[in-house]
Amino acid sequence: MPMSSRSFSRTLVLYMSLLVALSIGLLGVLWIFQEFSSFNRQADEMRAAMLAERKNNLIKKVADVAEFIGFKKSQTEDRVRANIKSRVYEAHALATHIHQTYRHTKTAAELRDMIREALRSLRFDQGQGYYFATSLDGTEQLFVDRPELEGKNLLDIRDASGAYVIRDMIAIARQNAEGFYSYTWTKPGRQGKDFRKISFIKYFAPFDWFIGTGVYIDDMEEEIKKEVIDWIGQLRFGSRGYVFAGQWDGVILAGPGKGENMLQNGSDDARRVVRELIDLAETGGGYIYYDMPKFDNQPAGMKTSYILPVEEWQWYVGAGEYIDDIELSLEAAKKSMHARMRENIISILLVLVGLLLTSFFIARWISRKTKRNLAALTTFFERAAFGLHAIDAEELEFREFQQMAVAANTMVAERNRVMGELSEKEDRYRSLFESASDAIVILQNGVCVDCNEKALHLLGAAREEFIGSPPDLFSP
């Protein structure tokens, strides 16, 4: 009988292939997902590690600058003291030499004039340093900054803090013959008398004077600042890292834009960045991220910097590095991962094709064996319908088919037993039916379907004529 159902063997091959393909596909998708997740996690960790390393490096660079500035600032007064002491010793030696050389040929007044004029002409520290001389009675002998005061008694003159400067110096000369003294004083070419100054004086016995000189602290600080700026300008690190410095008023001291006031003359982007740097310095410093504008041959790009303030000088100092190369490194790693994944995907596809072919041949082999077993069972059932044939279970290759064969043989044997019993009962029934002394006719739906010999004899008809005909055709 024709059937419209699907083939078992084809279905087996199809579903085994689909199962293998689905399994490999799911495993491939899971692997790709895990690779991407792992890469993203590693990329985040790499980015954080690289950025932390950059930050630590920036802190170290700025800390080195801050330490150098602190060291230079600590040297300021020491350098001032050493410098002016040596200068006064030189002036004292010169005055002593003049006195000893000309004391027998010159009058005291002439010697005083010679010493005054010799010291008046001497300058040092780029013309900012000069000498002074005062009698211990308070009369000013040499006052280069204010020559109109020479010859006048200055015992009552005070500095900006109210200290009696000349009296204090006289006390040092009388008690120790020499020493340092700090005060505020006038400065050549500048208004006011509140410029902090450190002086060294030494007693000059021949005329009962003290000779001295002083240095303005701000002048020395300017020299220190210049040294610091020159040093900062040479600092480089990494591929594009550098140290920079600026004033809180916007003037760039070191780095891109040096000498320019970016708050006044810079571009909008430059003003924005410098304003952020100054604001950060005024609040104590720290890290800052910003887009570096393109100027002074510096490329534009994302940067991070570490800033510290130098409050006494109203400066900020910092070190910065571009961080776009971090993303470039990660992008290169991502491309490498993509290339590796493409290779792995091709490998997975090759494995998938191999497994599909293997599963196809295995399924086909199983299908053929199954088909042979099913054909044997089909032949058995077809023959069993008309006879007592049994199937040899040992010829079948699968246990399940062997169990079906045993059950089928049992079914056939039972059917044959029942059919034998029915045949015996039918023979006995037919014998009794035919040997009955009465005529027997069996009707079904008004048609004769069977009768015994007695009925045929009474009706005078043949069995072939009677069977299948209404009984009234043969009524006597």
Side-chain angles (χ1 to χ4, degrees):
M1 180 174 62
M3 302 288 289
S4 61
S5 58
R6 293 175 294 180
S7 169
F8 172 79
S9 58
R10 290 182 180 178
T11 302
L12 177 63
V13 173
L14 175 62
Y15 281 104
M16 281 193 67
S17 301
L18 288 176
L19 179 62
V20 171
L22 183 62
S23 300
I24 297 297
L26 288 175
L27 289 174
V29 170
L30 180 61
W31 174 79
I32 291 173
F33 174 77
Q34 289 178 337
E35 281 289 304
F36 269 110
S37 299
S38 176
F39 174 80
N40 289 333
R41 183 175 61 256
Q42 291 176 4
D44 291 339
E45 293 173 353
M46 186 185 304
R47 182 183 293 107
M50 293 175 71
L51 191 56
E53 182 180 359
R54 299 282 177 90
K55 285 184 173 181
N56 291 335
N57 190 39
L58 295 178
I59 288 178
K60 184 178 183 305
K61 296 299 180 185
V62 177
D64 289 343
V65 173
E67 184 178 354
F68 180 77
I69 291 175
F71 170 72
K72 286 295 183 181
K73 288 168 64 177
S74 68
Q75 280 190 321
T76 301
E77 190 162 326
D78 292 340
R79 288 174 61 179
V80 167
R81 288 174 179 269
N83 181 46
I84 61 178
K85 183 176 181 179
S86 66
R87 297 290 184 181
V88 170
Y89 270 59
E90 291 173 2
H92 192 278
L94 175 61
T96 300
H97 174 72
I98 292 173
H99 182 268
Q100 289 179 349
T101 302
Y102 298 103
R103 64 181 177 175
H104 299 299
T105 59
K106 301 289 183 180
T107 65
E110 289 175 331
L111 287 173
R112 290 188 183 93
D113 288 339
M114 290 178 65
I115 292 173
R116 273 195 294 264
E117 297 310 312
L119 296 180
R120 189 190 306 277
S121 62
L122 297 179
R123 288 285 192 274
F124 53 91
D125 291 343
Q126 299 178 349
Q128 297 296 319
Y130 59 88
Y131 294 103
F132 59 83
T134 307
S135 300
L136 294 193
D137 63 0
T139 302
E140 194 68 18
Q141 301 296 326
L142 176 64
F143 197 157
V144 176
D145 184 24
R146 302 277 302 278
E148 70 275 10
L149 297 179
E150 291 180 6
K152 296 183 179 181
N153 191 294
L154 302 181
L155 285 177
D156 294 330
I157 196 169
R158 300 186 186 188
D159 69 358
S161 65
Y164 289 94
V165 176
I166 302 302
R167 294 184 183 187
D168 292 340
M169 289 183 177
I170 291 172
I172 293 173
R174 284 175 173 169
Q175 294 174 9
N176 303 313
E178 63 180 47
F180 293 98
Y181 183 66
S182 297
Y183 57 105
T184 57
W185 202 245
T186 59
K187 188 174 183 181
R190 302 286 293 274
Q191 295 293 323
K193 58 177 183 178
D194 56 350
F195 297 95
R196 183 167 173 249
K197 194 172 185 179
I198 297 178
S199 291
F200 182 80
I201 63 169
K202 185 173 178 61
Y203 180 63
F204 184 63
F207 295 147
D208 200 30
W209 290 0
F210 62 80
I211 299 173
T213 189
V215 173
Y216 296 96
I217 298 299
D218 58 347
D219 289 338
M220 185 58 67
E221 282 189 345
E222 289 303 318
E223 292 184 17
I224 297 297
K225 289 178 181 179
K226 186 178 183 305
E227 291 181 20
V228 170
I229 291 171
D230 291 342
W231 181 71
I232 288 176
Q234 300 173 6
L235 295 179
R236 296 290 185 273
F237 56 93
S239 59
R240 296 180 291 173
Y242 57 88
V243 178
F244 55 88
Q247 297 178 171
W248 291 7
D249 61 2
V251 175
I252 304 300
L253 300 173
K258 180 179 179 180
E260 295 288 335
N261 190 319
M262 287 299 164
L263 294 183
Q264 297 177 2
N265 305 320
S267 64
D268 292 341
D269 290 336
R271 282 199 299 270
R272 173 182 52 79
V273 171
V274 172
R275 182 73 268 168
E276 291 177 357
L277 296 176
I278 294 172
D279 290 343
L280 184 60
E282 289 178 341
T283 57
Y287 289 105
I288 184 173
Y289 296 88
Y290 55 95
D291 288 320
M292 178 70 175
K294 182 176 177 59
F295 67 94
D296 270 11
N297 297 322
Q298 290 294 321
M302 188 66 183
K303 291 191 69 174
T304 182
S305 294
Y306 184 73
I307 307 297
L308 281 180
V310 184
E311 295 185 6
E312 185 178 345
W313 294 351
Q314 299 288 282
W315 281 15
Y316 62 86
V317 294
E321 270 201 281
Y322 290 90
I323 57 175
D324 51 0
D325 60 330
I326 294 178
E327 296 303 324
L328 292 176
S329 299
L330 295 176
E331 187 64 28
K334 184 181 292 185
K335 289 181 180 179
S336 176
M337 182 201 69
H338 287 166
R340 186 174 67 254
M341 290 186 66
R342 281 195 296 270
E343 295 175 358
N344 290 334
I345 289 173
I346 292 174
S347 300
I348 289 175
L349 291 176
L350 292 175
V351 171
L352 176 60
V353 171
L355 289 175
L356 284 174
L357 290 175
T358 302
S359 65
F360 172 79
F361 287 115
I362 291 175
R364 191 172 180 183
W365 177 76
I366 295 173
S367 173
R368 287 178 177 177
K369 288 185 174 293
T370 303
K371 195 172 183 179
R372 284 199 300 269
N373 283 258
L374 290 175
L377 287 171
T378 302
T379 301
F380 160 72
F381 283 115
E382 289 175 349
R383 295 172 61 188
F386 304 100
L388 304 177
H389 303 285
I391 186 172
D392 186 0
E394 297 298 327
E395 293 180 355
L396 302 178
E397 297 171 277
F398 297 107
R399 182 180 302 157
E400 291 78 7
F401 289 122
Q402 291 175 353
Q403 293 173 349
M404 289 177 62
V406 172
N409 286 336
T410 302
M411 177 190 70
V412 170
E414 183 63 20
R415 188 205 65 177
N416 289 339
R417 184 186 65 77
V418 172
M419 291 297 292
E421 292 179 353
L422 289 175
S423 179
E424 291 178 0
K425 291 180 180 180
E426 185 177 359
D427 290 342
R428 286 197 300 272
Y429 164 75
R430 176 58 63 181
S431 177
L432 292 173
F433 182 72
E434 294 293 342
S435 63
S437 57
D438 296 325
I440 302 173
V441 177
I442 300 175
L443 300 176
Q444 185 174 354
N445 296 326
V447 176
C448 179
V449 297
D450 201 1
C451 64
N452 61 2
E453 290 295 330
K454 186 66 174 179
L456 293 174
H457 178 72
L458 290 176
L459 295 173
R463 184 180 296 277
E464 292 78 9
E465 298 174 343
F466 189 73
I467 299 301
S469 299
D472 55 355
L473 294 177
F474 300 96
S475 299

